[in-house]
mmCIF file with all atom_site columns, all heavy atoms in Angstrom:
data_model
loop_
_atom_site.group_PDB
_atom_site.id
_atom_site.type_symbol
_atom_site.label_atom_id
_atom_site.label_alt_id
_atom_site.label_comp_id
_atom_site.label_asym_id
_atom_site.label_entity_id
_atom_site.label_seq_id
_atom_site.pdbx_PDB_ins_code
_atom_site.Cartn_x
_atom_site.Cartn_y
_atom_site.Cartn_z
_atom_site.occupancy
_atom_site.B_iso_or_equiv
_atom_site.pdbx_formal_charge
_atom_site.auth_seq_id
_atom_site.auth_comp_id
_atom_site.auth_asym_id
_atom_site.auth_atom_id
_atom_site.pdbx_PDB_model_num
ATOM 1   N N   . ALA Q 1 1  ? 200.371 14.534 92.089 1.00 0.00 ? 182 ALA Q N   1
ATOM 2   C CA  . ALA Q 1 1  ? 201.400 14.322 91.065 1.00 0.00 ? 182 ALA Q CA  1
ATOM 3   C C   . ALA Q 1 1  ? 201.493 12.852 90.685 1.00 0.00 ? 182 ALA Q C   1
ATOM 4   O O   . ALA Q 1 1  ? 201.590 12.496 89.495 1.00 0.00 ? 182 ALA Q O   1
ATOM 5   C CB  . ALA Q 1 1  ? 202.746 14.840 91.564 1.00 0.00 ? 182 ALA Q CB  1
ATOM 6   N N   . LYS Q 1 2  ? 201.464 11.970 91.680 1.00 0.00 ? 183 LYS Q N   1
ATOM 7   C CA  . LYS Q 1 2  ? 201.519 10.528 91.393 1.00 0.00 ? 183 LYS Q CA  1
ATOM 8   C C   . LYS Q 1 2  ? 200.317 10.089 90.574 1.00 0.00 ? 183 LYS Q C   1
ATOM 9   O O   . LYS Q 1 2  ? 200.445 9.305  89.624 1.00 0.00 ? 183 LYS Q O   1
ATOM 10  C CB  . LYS Q 1 2  ? 201.585 9.734  92.714 1.00 0.00 ? 183 LYS Q CB  1
ATOM 11  C CG  . LYS Q 1 2  ? 202.921 9.827  93.429 1.00 0.00 ? 183 LYS Q CG  1
ATOM 12  C CD  . LYS Q 1 2  ? 203.030 8.839  94.584 1.00 0.00 ? 183 LYS Q CD  1
ATOM 13  C CE  . LYS Q 1 2  ? 202.218 9.227  95.777 1.00 0.00 ? 183 LYS Q CE  1
ATOM 14  N NZ  . LYS Q 1 2  ? 202.443 8.341  96.948 1.00 0.00 ? 183 LYS Q NZ  1
ATOM 15  N N   . ASN Q 1 3  ? 199.165 10.603 90.936 1.00 0.00 ? 184 ASN Q N   1
ATOM 16  C CA  . ASN Q 1 3  ? 197.939 10.197 90.261 1.00 0.00 ? 184 ASN Q CA  1
ATOM 17  C C   . ASN Q 1 3  ? 197.953 10.593 88.781 1.00 0.00 ? 184 ASN Q C   1
ATOM 18  O O   . ASN Q 1 3  ? 197.567 9.805  87.910 1.00 0.00 ? 184 ASN Q O   1
ATOM 19  C CB  . ASN Q 1 3  ? 196.733 10.816 90.958 1.00 0.00 ? 184 ASN Q CB  1
ATOM 20  C CG  . ASN Q 1 3  ? 195.532 9.900  90.940 1.00 0.00 ? 184 ASN Q CG  1
ATOM 21  O OD1 . ASN Q 1 3  ? 195.620 8.725  91.322 1.00 0.00 ? 184 ASN Q OD1 1
ATOM 22  N ND2 . ASN Q 1 3  ? 194.416 10.399 90.464 1.00 0.00 ? 184 ASN Q ND2 1
ATOM 23  N N   . LEU Q 1 4  ? 198.399 11.822 88.496 1.00 0.00 ? 185 LEU Q N   1
ATOM 24  C CA  . LEU Q 1 4  ? 198.476 12.283 87.114 1.00 0.00 ? 185 LEU Q CA  1
ATOM 25  C C   . LEU Q 1 4  ? 199.383 11.391 86.289 1.00 0.00 ? 185 LEU Q C   1
ATOM 26  O O   . LEU Q 1 4  ? 199.092 11.071 85.137 1.00 0.00 ? 185 LEU Q O   1
ATOM 27  C CB  . LEU Q 1 4  ? 198.982 13.727 87.071 1.00 0.00 ? 185 LEU Q CB  1
ATOM 28  C CG  . LEU Q 1 4  ? 197.974 14.808 87.446 1.00 0.00 ? 185 LEU Q CG  1
ATOM 29  C CD1 . LEU Q 1 4  ? 198.680 16.143 87.621 1.00 0.00 ? 185 LEU Q CD1 1
ATOM 30  C CD2 . LEU Q 1 4  ? 196.882 14.929 86.395 1.00 0.00 ? 185 LEU Q CD2 1
ATOM 31  N N   . ALA Q 1 5  ? 200.502 10.985 86.870 1.00 0.00 ? 186 ALA Q N   1
ATOM 32  C CA  . ALA Q 1 5  ? 201.492 10.196 86.138 1.00 0.00 ? 186 ALA Q CA  1
ATOM 33  C C   . ALA Q 1 5  ? 201.117 8.728  86.008 1.00 0.00 ? 186 ALA Q C   1
ATOM 34  O O   . ALA Q 1 5  ? 201.558 8.056  85.067 1.00 0.00 ? 186 ALA Q O   1
ATOM 35  C CB  . ALA Q 1 5  ? 202.859 10.319 86.812 1.00 0.00 ? 186 ALA Q CB  1
ATOM 36  N N   . ASN Q 1 6  ? 200.321 8.214  86.922 1.00 0.00 ? 187 ASN Q N   1
ATOM 37  C CA  . ASN Q 1 6  ? 200.005 6.785  86.910 1.00 0.00 ? 187 ASN Q CA  1
ATOM 38  C C   . ASN Q 1 6  ? 198.966 6.388  85.862 1.00 0.00 ? 187 ASN Q C   1
ATOM 39  O O   . ASN Q 1 6  ? 198.859 5.214  85.510 1.00 0.00 ? 187 ASN Q O   1
ATOM 40  C CB  . ASN Q 1 6  ? 199.521 6.341  88.295 1.00 0.00 ? 187 ASN Q CB  1
ATOM 41  C CG  . ASN Q 1 6  ? 200.670 6.113  89.265 1.00 0.00 ? 187 ASN Q CG  1
ATOM 42  O OD1 . ASN Q 1 6  ? 201.774 5.750  88.865 1.00 0.00 ? 187 ASN Q OD1 1
ATOM 43  N ND2 . ASN Q 1 6  ? 200.425 6.331  90.546 1.00 0.00 ? 187 ASN Q ND2 1
ATOM 44  N N   . HIS Q 1 7  ? 198.189 7.339  85.385 1.00 0.00 ? 188 HIS Q N   1
ATOM 45  C CA  . HIS Q 1 7  ? 197.192 7.013  84.368 1.00 0.00 ? 188 HIS Q CA  1
ATOM 46  C C   . HIS Q 1 7  ? 197.873 6.520  83.086 1.00 0.00 ? 188 HIS Q C   1
ATOM 47  O O   . HIS Q 1 7  ? 198.966 6.968  82.746 1.00 0.00 ? 188 HIS Q O   1
ATOM 48  C CB  . HIS Q 1 7  ? 196.324 8.233  84.042 1.00 0.00 ? 188 HIS Q CB  1
ATOM 49  C CG  . HIS Q 1 7  ? 195.292 8.542  85.077 1.00 0.00 ? 188 HIS Q CG  1
ATOM 50  N ND1 . HIS Q 1 7  ? 194.184 7.751  85.278 1.00 0.00 ? 188 HIS Q ND1 1
ATOM 51  C CD2 . HIS Q 1 7  ? 195.206 9.551  85.980 1.00 0.00 ? 188 HIS Q CD2 1
ATOM 52  C CE1 . HIS Q 1 7  ? 193.447 8.268  86.250 1.00 0.00 ? 188 HIS Q CE1 1
ATOM 53  N NE2 . HIS Q 1 7  ? 194.046 9.349  86.695 1.00 0.00 ? 188 HIS Q NE2 1
ATOM 54  N N   . PRO Q 1 8  ? 197.239 5.603  82.360 1.00 0.00 ? 189 PRO Q N   1
ATOM 55  C CA  . PRO Q 1 8  ? 197.837 5.091  81.113 1.00 0.00 ? 189 PRO Q CA  1
ATOM 56  C C   . PRO Q 1 8  ? 197.825 6.144  80.015 1.00 0.00 ? 189 PRO Q C   1
ATOM 57  O O   . PRO Q 1 8  ? 197.060 7.120  80.067 1.00 0.00 ? 189 PRO Q O   1
ATOM 58  C CB  . PRO Q 1 8  ? 196.930 3.909  80.762 1.00 0.00 ? 189 PRO Q CB  1
ATOM 59  C CG  . PRO Q 1 8  ? 195.611 4.249  81.379 1.00 0.00 ? 189 PRO Q CG  1
ATOM 60  C CD  . PRO Q 1 8  ? 195.933 4.983  82.648 1.00 0.00 ? 189 PRO Q CD  1
ATOM 61  N N   . GLY Q 1 9  ? 198.654 5.914  79.004 1.00 0.00 ? 190 GLY Q N   1
ATOM 62  C CA  . GLY Q 1 9  ? 198.820 6.888  77.940 1.00 0.00 ? 190 GLY Q CA  1
ATOM 63  C C   . GLY Q 1 9  ? 197.579 7.137  77.117 1.00 0.00 ? 190 GLY Q C   1
ATOM 64  O O   . GLY Q 1 9  ? 197.430 8.224  76.543 1.00 0.00 ? 190 GLY Q O   1
ATOM 65  N N   . ASN Q 1 10 ? 196.681 6.155  77.042 1.00 0.00 ? 191 ASN Q N   1
ATOM 66  C CA  . ASN Q 1 10 ? 195.451 6.387  76.265 1.00 0.00 ? 191 ASN Q CA  1
ATOM 67  C C   . ASN Q 1 10 ? 194.457 7.292  77.004 1.00 0.00 ? 191 ASN Q C   1
ATOM 68  O O   . ASN Q 1 10 ? 193.511 7.796  76.416 1.00 0.00 ? 191 ASN Q O   1
ATOM 69  C CB  . ASN Q 1 10 ? 194.769 5.059  75.896 1.00 0.00 ? 191 ASN Q CB  1
ATOM 70  C CG  . ASN Q 1 10 ? 194.339 4.259  77.104 1.00 0.00 ? 191 ASN Q CG  1
ATOM 71  O OD1 . ASN Q 1 10 ? 195.060 4.176  78.095 1.00 0.00 ? 191 ASN Q OD1 1
ATOM 72  N ND2 . ASN Q 1 10 ? 193.181 3.640  77.034 1.00 0.00 ? 191 ASN Q ND2 1
ATOM 73  N N   . ILE Q 1 11 ? 194.685 7.500  78.294 1.00 0.00 ? 192 ILE Q N   1
ATOM 74  C CA  . ILE Q 1 11 ? 193.862 8.417  79.093 1.00 0.00 ? 192 ILE Q CA  1
ATOM 75  C C   . ILE Q 1 11 ? 194.625 9.735  79.310 1.00 0.00 ? 192 ILE Q C   1
ATOM 76  O O   . ILE Q 1 11 ? 194.098 10.819 79.071 1.00 0.00 ? 192 ILE Q O   1
ATOM 77  C CB  . ILE Q 1 11 ? 193.501 7.797  80.461 1.00 0.00 ? 192 ILE Q CB  1
ATOM 78  C CG1 . ILE Q 1 11 ? 192.734 6.481  80.261 1.00 0.00 ? 192 ILE Q CG1 1
ATOM 79  C CG2 . ILE Q 1 11 ? 192.711 8.789  81.306 1.00 0.00 ? 192 ILE Q CG2 1
ATOM 80  C CD1 . ILE Q 1 11 ? 191.391 6.630  79.584 1.00 0.00 ? 192 ILE Q CD1 1
ATOM 81  N N   . ALA Q 1 12 ? 195.844 9.618  79.780 1.00 0.00 ? 193 ALA Q N   1
ATOM 82  C CA  . ALA Q 1 12 ? 196.636 10.803 80.129 1.00 0.00 ? 193 ALA Q CA  1
ATOM 83  C C   . ALA Q 1 12 ? 197.324 11.370 78.895 1.00 0.00 ? 193 ALA Q C   1
ATOM 84  O O   . ALA Q 1 12 ? 198.535 11.259 78.712 1.00 0.00 ? 193 ALA Q O   1
ATOM 85  C CB  . ALA Q 1 12 ? 197.665 10.460 81.203 1.00 0.00 ? 193 ALA Q CB  1
ATOM 86  N N   . THR Q 1 13 ? 196.546 11.983 78.033 1.00 0.00 ? 194 THR Q N   1
ATOM 87  C CA  . THR Q 1 13 ? 197.051 12.655 76.841 1.00 0.00 ? 194 THR Q CA  1
ATOM 88  C C   . THR Q 1 13 ? 197.468 14.083 77.200 1.00 0.00 ? 194 THR Q C   1
ATOM 89  O O   . THR Q 1 13 ? 197.195 14.553 78.314 1.00 0.00 ? 194 THR Q O   1
ATOM 90  C CB  . THR Q 1 13 ? 195.952 12.706 75.772 1.00 0.00 ? 194 THR Q CB  1
ATOM 91  O OG1 . THR Q 1 13 ? 194.857 13.469 76.309 1.00 0.00 ? 194 THR Q OG1 1
ATOM 92  C CG2 . THR Q 1 13 ? 195.470 11.309 75.412 1.00 0.00 ? 194 THR Q CG2 1
ATOM 93  N N   . PRO Q 1 14 ? 198.114 14.810 76.288 1.00 0.00 ? 195 PRO Q N   1
ATOM 94  C CA  . PRO Q 1 14 ? 198.418 16.218 76.563 1.00 0.00 ? 195 PRO Q CA  1
ATOM 95  C C   . PRO Q 1 14 ? 197.177 17.036 76.935 1.00 0.00 ? 195 PRO Q C   1
ATOM 96  O O   . PRO Q 1 14 ? 197.231 17.882 77.833 1.00 0.00 ? 195 PRO Q O   1
ATOM 97  C CB  . PRO Q 1 14 ? 199.044 16.696 75.251 1.00 0.00 ? 195 PRO Q CB  1
ATOM 98  C CG  . PRO Q 1 14 ? 199.702 15.474 74.690 1.00 0.00 ? 195 PRO Q CG  1
ATOM 99  C CD  . PRO Q 1 14 ? 198.774 14.356 75.047 1.00 0.00 ? 195 PRO Q CD  1
ATOM 100 N N   . LEU Q 1 15 ? 196.053 16.780 76.260 1.00 0.00 ? 196 LEU Q N   1
ATOM 101 C CA  . LEU Q 1 15 ? 194.818 17.493 76.589 1.00 0.00 ? 196 LEU Q CA  1
ATOM 102 C C   . LEU Q 1 15 ? 194.334 17.166 77.995 1.00 0.00 ? 196 LEU Q C   1
ATOM 103 O O   . LEU Q 1 15 ? 193.846 18.038 78.725 1.00 0.00 ? 196 LEU Q O   1
ATOM 104 C CB  . LEU Q 1 15 ? 193.727 17.149 75.569 1.00 0.00 ? 196 LEU Q CB  1
ATOM 105 C CG  . LEU Q 1 15 ? 193.817 17.871 74.217 1.00 0.00 ? 196 LEU Q CG  1
ATOM 106 C CD1 . LEU Q 1 15 ? 192.861 17.221 73.211 1.00 0.00 ? 196 LEU Q CD1 1
ATOM 107 C CD2 . LEU Q 1 15 ? 193.491 19.355 74.375 1.00 0.00 ? 196 LEU Q CD2 1
ATOM 108 N N   . HIS Q 1 16 ? 194.464 15.901 78.395 1.00 0.00 ? 197 HIS Q N   1
ATOM 109 C CA  . HIS Q 1 16 ? 194.085 15.465 79.741 1.00 0.00 ? 197 HIS Q CA  1
ATOM 110 C C   . HIS Q 1 16 ? 194.933 16.198 80.775 1.00 0.00 ? 197 HIS Q C   1
ATOM 111 O O   . HIS Q 1 16 ? 194.411 16.696 81.787 1.00 0.00 ? 197 HIS Q O   1
ATOM 112 C CB  . HIS Q 1 16 ? 194.292 13.943 79.849 1.00 0.00 ? 197 HIS Q CB  1
ATOM 113 C CG  . HIS Q 1 16 ? 194.099 13.367 81.217 1.00 0.00 ? 197 HIS Q CG  1
ATOM 114 N ND1 . HIS Q 1 16 ? 195.104 13.313 82.149 1.00 0.00 ? 197 HIS Q ND1 1
ATOM 115 C CD2 . HIS Q 1 16 ? 193.012 12.792 81.811 1.00 0.00 ? 197 HIS Q CD2 1
ATOM 116 C CE1 . HIS Q 1 16 ? 194.653 12.736 83.251 1.00 0.00 ? 197 HIS Q CE1 1
ATOM 117 N NE2 . HIS Q 1 16 ? 193.390 12.413 83.066 1.00 0.00 ? 197 HIS Q NE2 1
ATOM 118 N N   . LEU Q 1 17 ? 196.219 16.296 80.521 1.00 0.00 ? 198 LEU Q N   1
ATOM 119 C CA  . LEU Q 1 17 ? 197.132 16.967 81.443 1.00 0.00 ? 198 LEU Q CA  1
ATOM 120 C C   . LEU Q 1 17 ? 196.772 18.449 81.561 1.00 0.00 ? 198 LEU Q C   1
ATOM 121 O O   . LEU Q 1 17 ? 196.714 19.001 82.674 1.00 0.00 ? 198 LEU Q O   1
ATOM 122 C CB  . LEU Q 1 17 ? 198.572 16.805 80.952 1.00 0.00 ? 198 LEU Q CB  1
ATOM 123 C CG  . LEU Q 1 17 ? 199.695 17.182 81.914 1.00 0.00 ? 198 LEU Q CG  1
ATOM 124 C CD1 . LEU Q 1 17 ? 199.635 16.345 83.183 1.00 0.00 ? 198 LEU Q CD1 1
ATOM 125 C CD2 . LEU Q 1 17 ? 201.049 17.002 81.235 1.00 0.00 ? 198 LEU Q CD2 1
ATOM 126 N N   . ALA Q 1 18 ? 196.492 19.075 80.421 1.00 0.00 ? 199 ALA Q N   1
ATOM 127 C CA  . ALA Q 1 18 ? 196.131 20.495 80.425 1.00 0.00 ? 199 ALA Q CA  1
ATOM 128 C C   . ALA Q 1 18 ? 194.811 20.725 81.159 1.00 0.00 ? 199 ALA Q C   1
ATOM 129 O O   . ALA Q 1 18 ? 194.674 21.692 81.933 1.00 0.00 ? 199 ALA Q O   1
ATOM 130 C CB  . ALA Q 1 18 ? 196.025 21.005 78.989 1.00 0.00 ? 199 ALA Q CB  1
ATOM 131 N N   . ARG Q 1 19 ? 193.860 19.846 80.950 1.00 0.00 ? 200 ARG Q N   1
ATOM 132 C CA  . ARG Q 1 19 ? 192.553 19.979 81.592 1.00 0.00 ? 200 ARG Q CA  1
ATOM 133 C C   . ARG Q 1 19 ? 192.678 19.881 83.113 1.00 0.00 ? 200 ARG Q C   1
ATOM 134 O O   . ARG Q 1 19 ? 192.082 20.661 83.856 1.00 0.00 ? 200 ARG Q O   1
ATOM 135 C CB  . ARG Q 1 19 ? 191.599 18.916 81.058 1.00 0.00 ? 200 ARG Q CB  1
ATOM 136 C CG  . ARG Q 1 19 ? 190.178 19.052 81.591 1.00 0.00 ? 200 ARG Q CG  1
ATOM 137 C CD  . ARG Q 1 19 ? 189.204 18.165 80.832 1.00 0.00 ? 200 ARG Q CD  1
ATOM 138 N NE  . ARG Q 1 19 ? 189.528 16.751 80.931 1.00 0.00 ? 200 ARG Q NE  1
ATOM 139 C CZ  . ARG Q 1 19 ? 190.006 16.015 79.934 1.00 0.00 ? 200 ARG Q CZ  1
ATOM 140 N NH1 . ARG Q 1 19 ? 190.227 16.556 78.756 1.00 0.00 ? 200 ARG Q NH1 1
ATOM 141 N NH2 . ARG Q 1 19 ? 190.270 14.730 80.103 1.00 0.00 ? 200 ARG Q NH2 1
ATOM 142 N N   . HIS Q 1 20 ? 193.474 18.906 83.568 1.00 0.00 ? 201 HIS Q N   1
ATOM 143 C CA  . HIS Q 1 20 ? 193.650 18.743 85.010 1.00 0.00 ? 201 HIS Q CA  1
ATOM 144 C C   . HIS Q 1 20 ? 194.415 19.904 85.625 1.00 0.00 ? 201 HIS Q C   1
ATOM 145 O O   . HIS Q 1 20 ? 194.118 20.334 86.752 1.00 0.00 ? 201 HIS Q O   1
ATOM 146 C CB  . HIS Q 1 20 ? 194.327 17.406 85.309 1.00 0.00 ? 201 HIS Q CB  1
ATOM 147 C CG  . HIS Q 1 20 ? 193.365 16.260 85.366 1.00 0.00 ? 201 HIS Q CG  1
ATOM 148 N ND1 . HIS Q 1 20 ? 192.768 15.846 86.533 1.00 0.00 ? 201 HIS Q ND1 1
ATOM 149 C CD2 . HIS Q 1 20 ? 192.854 15.484 84.386 1.00 0.00 ? 201 HIS Q CD2 1
ATOM 150 C CE1 . HIS Q 1 20 ? 191.944 14.838 86.277 1.00 0.00 ? 201 HIS Q CE1 1
ATOM 151 N NE2 . HIS Q 1 20 ? 191.980 14.597 84.988 1.00 0.00 ? 201 HIS Q NE2 1
ATOM 152 N N   . ALA Q 1 21 ? 195.409 20.415 84.920 1.00 0.00 ? 202 ALA Q N   1
ATOM 153 C CA  . ALA Q 1 21 ? 196.142 21.580 85.415 1.00 0.00 ? 202 ALA Q CA  1
ATOM 154 C C   . ALA Q 1 21 ? 195.190 22.761 85.582 1.00 0.00 ? 202 ALA Q C   1
ATOM 155 O O   . ALA Q 1 21 ? 195.251 23.501 86.581 1.00 0.00 ? 202 ALA Q O   1
ATOM 156 C CB  . ALA Q 1 21 ? 197.274 21.936 84.455 1.00 0.00 ? 202 ALA Q CB  1
ATOM 157 N N   . ASN Q 1 22 ? 194.299 22.936 84.641 1.00 0.00 ? 203 ASN Q N   1
ATOM 158 C CA  . ASN Q 1 22 ? 193.330 24.037 84.695 1.00 0.00 ? 203 ASN Q CA  1
ATOM 159 C C   . ASN Q 1 22 ? 192.354 23.853 85.858 1.00 0.00 ? 203 ASN Q C   1
ATOM 160 O O   . ASN Q 1 22 ? 192.043 24.804 86.591 1.00 0.00 ? 203 ASN Q O   1
ATOM 161 C CB  . ASN Q 1 22 ? 192.575 24.124 83.369 1.00 0.00 ? 203 ASN Q CB  1
ATOM 162 C CG  . ASN Q 1 22 ? 191.742 25.374 83.264 1.00 0.00 ? 203 ASN Q CG  1
ATOM 163 O OD1 . ASN Q 1 22 ? 192.214 26.470 83.557 1.00 0.00 ? 203 ASN Q OD1 1
ATOM 164 N ND2 . ASN Q 1 22 ? 190.487 25.233 82.859 1.00 0.00 ? 203 ASN Q ND2 1
ATOM 165 N N   . GLU Q 1 23 ? 191.882 22.622 86.058 1.00 0.00 ? 204 GLU Q N   1
ATOM 166 C CA  . GLU Q 1 23 ? 190.964 22.354 87.164 1.00 0.00 ? 204 GLU Q CA  1
ATOM 167 C C   . GLU Q 1 23 ? 191.632 22.611 88.516 1.00 0.00 ? 204 GLU Q C   1
ATOM 168 O O   . GLU Q 1 23 ? 191.029 23.193 89.427 1.00 0.00 ? 204 GLU Q O   1
ATOM 169 C CB  . GLU Q 1 23 ? 190.476 20.901 87.085 1.00 0.00 ? 204 GLU Q CB  1
ATOM 170 C CG  . GLU Q 1 23 ? 189.508 20.638 85.929 1.00 0.00 ? 204 GLU Q CG  1
ATOM 171 C CD  . GLU Q 1 23 ? 189.187 19.163 85.771 1.00 0.00 ? 204 GLU Q CD  1
ATOM 172 O OE1 . GLU Q 1 23 ? 189.732 18.339 86.538 1.00 0.00 ? 204 GLU Q OE1 1
ATOM 173 O OE2 . GLU Q 1 23 ? 188.390 18.828 84.863 1.00 0.00 ? 204 GLU Q OE2 1
ATOM 174 N N   . LEU Q 1 24 ? 192.888 22.165 88.648 1.00 0.00 ? 205 LEU Q N   1
ATOM 175 C CA  . LEU Q 1 24 ? 193.609 22.362 89.907 1.00 0.00 ? 205 LEU Q CA  1
ATOM 176 C C   . LEU Q 1 24 ? 193.896 23.840 90.154 1.00 0.00 ? 205 LEU Q C   1
ATOM 177 O O   . LEU Q 1 24 ? 193.877 24.297 91.308 1.00 0.00 ? 205 LEU Q O   1
ATOM 178 C CB  . LEU Q 1 24 ? 194.912 21.557 89.899 1.00 0.00 ? 205 LEU Q CB  1
ATOM 179 C CG  . LEU Q 1 24 ? 194.742 20.033 89.987 1.00 0.00 ? 205 LEU Q CG  1
ATOM 180 C CD1 . LEU Q 1 24 ? 196.043 19.329 89.646 1.00 0.00 ? 205 LEU Q CD1 1
ATOM 181 C CD2 . LEU Q 1 24 ? 194.274 19.623 91.384 1.00 0.00 ? 205 LEU Q CD2 1
ATOM 182 N N   . SER Q 1 25 ? 194.143 24.595 89.094 1.00 0.00 ? 206 SER Q N   1
ATOM 183 C CA  . SER Q 1 25 ? 194.409 26.030 89.257 1.00 0.00 ? 206 SER Q CA  1
ATOM 184 C C   . SER Q 1 25 ? 193.191 26.741 89.847 1.00 0.00 ? 206 SER Q C   1
ATOM 185 O O   . SER Q 1 25 ? 193.315 27.625 90.691 1.00 0.00 ? 206 SER Q O   1
ATOM 186 C CB  . SER Q 1 25 ? 194.808 26.647 87.915 1.00 0.00 ? 206 SER Q CB  1
ATOM 187 O OG  . SER Q 1 25 ? 193.694 26.775 87.042 1.00 0.00 ? 206 SER Q OG  1
ATOM 188 N N   . LYS Q 1 26 ? 192.015 26.345 89.400 1.00 0.00 ? 207 LYS Q N   1
ATOM 189 C CA  . LYS Q 1 26 ? 190.784 26.951 89.921 1.00 0.00 ? 207 LYS Q CA  1
ATOM 190 C C   . LYS Q 1 26 ? 190.535 26.518 91.371 1.00 0.00 ? 207 LYS Q C   1
ATOM 191 O O   . LYS Q 1 26 ? 190.057 27.311 92.195 1.00 0.00 ? 207 LYS Q O   1
ATOM 192 C CB  . LYS Q 1 26 ? 189.598 26.555 89.052 1.00 0.00 ? 207 LYS Q CB  1
ATOM 193 C CG  . LYS Q 1 26 ? 189.657 27.148 87.639 1.00 0.00 ? 207 LYS Q CG  1
ATOM 194 C CD  . LYS Q 1 26 ? 188.523 26.614 86.766 1.00 0.00 ? 207 LYS Q CD  1
ATOM 195 C CE  . LYS Q 1 26 ? 188.615 27.181 85.353 1.00 0.00 ? 207 LYS Q CE  1
ATOM 196 N NZ  . LYS Q 1 26 ? 187.571 26.604 84.452 1.00 0.00 ? 207 LYS Q NZ  1
ATOM 197 N N   . LYS Q 1 27 ? 190.855 25.292 91.665 1.00 0.00 ? 208 LYS Q N   1
ATOM 198 C CA  . LYS Q 1 27 ? 190.614 24.768 93.013 1.00 0.00 ? 208 LYS Q CA  1
ATOM 199 C C   . LYS Q 1 27 ? 191.558 25.377 94.045 1.00 0.00 ? 208 LYS Q C   1
ATOM 200 O O   . LYS Q 1 27 ? 191.147 25.675 95.176 1.00 0.00 ? 208 LYS Q O   1
ATOM 201 C CB  . LYS Q 1 27 ? 190.758 23.238 92.999 1.00 0.00 ? 208 LYS Q CB  1
ATOM 202 C CG  . LYS Q 1 27 ? 190.493 22.573 94.338 1.00 0.00 ? 208 LYS Q CG  1
ATOM 203 C CD  . LYS Q 1 27 ? 190.593 21.060 94.215 1.00 0.00 ? 208 LYS Q CD  1
ATOM 204 C CE  . LYS Q 1 27 ? 190.341 20.388 95.565 1.00 0.00 ? 208 LYS Q CE  1
ATOM 205 N NZ  . LYS Q 1 27 ? 190.432 18.902 95.473 1.00 0.00 ? 208 LYS Q NZ  1
ATOM 206 N N   . PHE Q 1 28 ? 192.828 25.565 93.662 1.00 0.00 ? 209 PHE Q N   1
ATOM 207 C CA  . PHE Q 1 28 ? 193.831 25.961 94.657 1.00 0.00 ? 209 PHE Q CA  1
ATOM 208 C C   . PHE Q 1 28 ? 194.301 27.412 94.519 1.00 0.00 ? 209 PHE Q C   1
ATOM 209 O O   . PHE Q 1 28 ? 195.056 27.892 95.353 1.00 0.00 ? 209 PHE Q O   1
ATOM 210 C CB  . PHE Q 1 28 ? 195.024 25.009 94.597 1.00 0.00 ? 209 PHE Q CB  1
ATOM 211 C CG  . PHE Q 1 28 ? 194.675 23.605 95.012 1.00 0.00 ? 209 PHE Q CG  1
ATOM 212 C CD1 . PHE Q 1 28 ? 194.554 22.596 94.077 1.00 0.00 ? 209 PHE Q CD1 1
ATOM 213 C CD2 . PHE Q 1 28 ? 194.435 23.307 96.337 1.00 0.00 ? 209 PHE Q CD2 1
ATOM 214 C CE1 . PHE Q 1 28 ? 194.215 21.299 94.445 1.00 0.00 ? 209 PHE Q CE1 1
ATOM 215 C CE2 . PHE Q 1 28 ? 194.100 22.019 96.735 1.00 0.00 ? 209 PHE Q CE2 1
ATOM 216 C CZ  . PHE Q 1 28 ? 193.979 21.014 95.785 1.00 0.00 ? 209 PHE Q CZ  1
ATOM 217 N N   . GLY Q 1 29 ? 193.899 28.104 93.463 1.00 0.00 ? 210 GLY Q N   1
ATOM 218 C CA  . GLY Q 1 29 ? 194.178 29.533 93.418 1.00 0.00 ? 210 GLY Q CA  1
ATOM 219 C C   . GLY Q 1 29 ? 195.481 29.925 92.770 1.00 0.00 ? 210 GLY Q C   1
ATOM 220 O O   . GLY Q 1 29 ? 196.196 30.792 93.301 1.00 0.00 ? 210 GLY Q O   1
ATOM 221 N N   . PHE Q 1 30 ? 195.818 29.318 91.645 1.00 0.00 ? 211 PHE Q N   1
ATOM 222 C CA  . PHE Q 1 30 ? 196.916 29.815 90.817 1.00 0.00 ? 211 PHE Q CA  1
ATOM 223 C C   . PHE Q 1 30 ? 196.396 29.905 89.387 1.00 0.00 ? 211 PHE Q C   1
ATOM 224 O O   . PHE Q 1 30 ? 195.319 29.397 89.084 1.00 0.00 ? 211 PHE Q O   1
ATOM 225 C CB  . PHE Q 1 30 ? 198.167 28.927 90.913 1.00 0.00 ? 211 PHE Q CB  1
ATOM 226 C CG  . PHE Q 1 30 ? 197.951 27.467 90.636 1.00 0.00 ? 211 PHE Q CG  1
ATOM 227 C CD1 . PHE Q 1 30 ? 198.061 26.954 89.347 1.00 0.00 ? 211 PHE Q CD1 1
ATOM 228 C CD2 . PHE Q 1 30 ? 197.658 26.570 91.662 1.00 0.00 ? 211 PHE Q CD2 1
ATOM 229 C CE1 . PHE Q 1 30 ? 197.876 25.603 89.083 1.00 0.00 ? 211 PHE Q CE1 1
ATOM 230 C CE2 . PHE Q 1 30 ? 197.469 25.213 91.413 1.00 0.00 ? 211 PHE Q CE2 1
ATOM 231 C CZ  . PHE Q 1 30 ? 197.577 24.732 90.116 1.00 0.00 ? 211 PHE Q CZ  1
ATOM 232 N N   . SER Q 1 31 ? 197.107 30.588 88.520 1.00 0.00 ? 212 SER Q N   1
ATOM 233 C CA  . SER Q 1 31 ? 196.600 30.795 87.169 1.00 0.00 ? 212 SER Q CA  1
ATOM 234 C C   . SER Q 1 31 ? 197.096 29.708 86.227 1.00 0.00 ? 212 SER Q C   1
ATOM 235 O O   . SER Q 1 31 ? 198.156 29.113 86.438 1.00 0.00 ? 212 SER Q O   1
ATOM 236 C CB  . SER Q 1 31 ? 197.015 32.169 86.642 1.00 0.00 ? 212 SER Q CB  1
ATOM 237 O OG  . SER Q 1 31 ? 198.400 32.205 86.376 1.00 0.00 ? 212 SER Q OG  1
#
């Protein structure tokens, strides 16, 4: 959670957030 929030705004866009949520869902087993 800290890592996601610490990235600057030019990197952590809405698409970046969605992409990471999707990657974590596959890694940890939620949809």
Side-chain angles (χ1 to χ4, degrees):
K183 287 190 286 186
N184 215 51
L185 283 169
N187 280 330
H188 284 289
N191 62 319
I192 301 296
T194 62
L196 281 168
H197 173 273
L198 192 60
R200 185 168 61 251
H201 276 268
N203 190 47
E204 289 173 359
L205 290 167
S206 73
K207 293 174 182 176
K208 182 177 179 180
F209 294 106
F211 53 90
S212 71

